Amino acid sequence: MGKLMILLYFILSVFPADATENRRHIHVVRRGSKKSHRGDTVAKIWIEENGQKKIEIAWSELTADEETLIVEAIDKHWDELNRLIDDVFAGKKITIKRIK
């Protein structure tokens, strides 16, 4: 798993297998969670469509407030997240960013 950013008690990440998918997305992991859809993943959020910014929730176990918080953070840090995703998929080591 490529951890990109930490926001409060959430980790925004990508999985190397996601590199072949035709739409870029981020998995949201709740730190310390044991109940989830895929491992500790509690949401999957599309961040683009055809190379253009388009943030949409694919599925989620989050509250509406949590979804809003995460979508706003993704929107604000969209360019940086895409650079980090490129680096993860290229096999480069990245520094996980903490955001507030």
Side-chain angles (χ1 to χ4, degrees):
M1 173 172 50
K3 295 178 184 176
L4 307 171
M5 292 185 171
I6 296 176
L7 171 63
L8 300 175
Y9 44 88
F10 295 106
I11 301 169
L12 307 183
S13 61
V14 292
F15 296 102
D18 294 343
T20 59
E21 293 201 25
N22 47 337
R23 193 165 175 203
R24 203 168 258 204
H25 60 277
I26 291 176
H27 296 271
V28 179
V29 176
R30 184 187 309 269
R31 296 168 67 184
S33 172
K34 298 298 178 203
K35 176 189 173 285
S36 62
H37 178 77
R38 177 179 174 184
D40 290 331
T41 302
V42 292
K44 178 179 177 178
I45 301 176
W46 301 111
I47 64 167
E48 63 81 40
E49 186 171 48
N50 299 319
Q52 302 298 313
K53 183 193 284 189
K54 186 171 183 182
I55 303 168
E56 297 178 300
I57 297 171
W59 63 265
S60 172
E61 297 174 359
L62 301 169
T63 67
D65 288 342
E66 291 170 332
E67 287 177 358
T68 299
L69 175 75
I70 291 168
V71 167
E72 287 174 355
I74 291 170
D75 185 49
K76 180 177 180 181
H77 299 280
W78 191 83
D79 290 325
E80 184 174 8
L81 282 166
N82 274 285
R83 282 192 302 277
L84 291 169
I85 291 169
D86 288 340
D87 288 348
V88 168
F89 290 163
K92 296 179 182 175
K93 185 175 179 176
I94 65 166
T95 301
I96 301 168
K97 179 174 178 149
R98 291 187 181 268
I99 54 178
K100 296 178 182 181

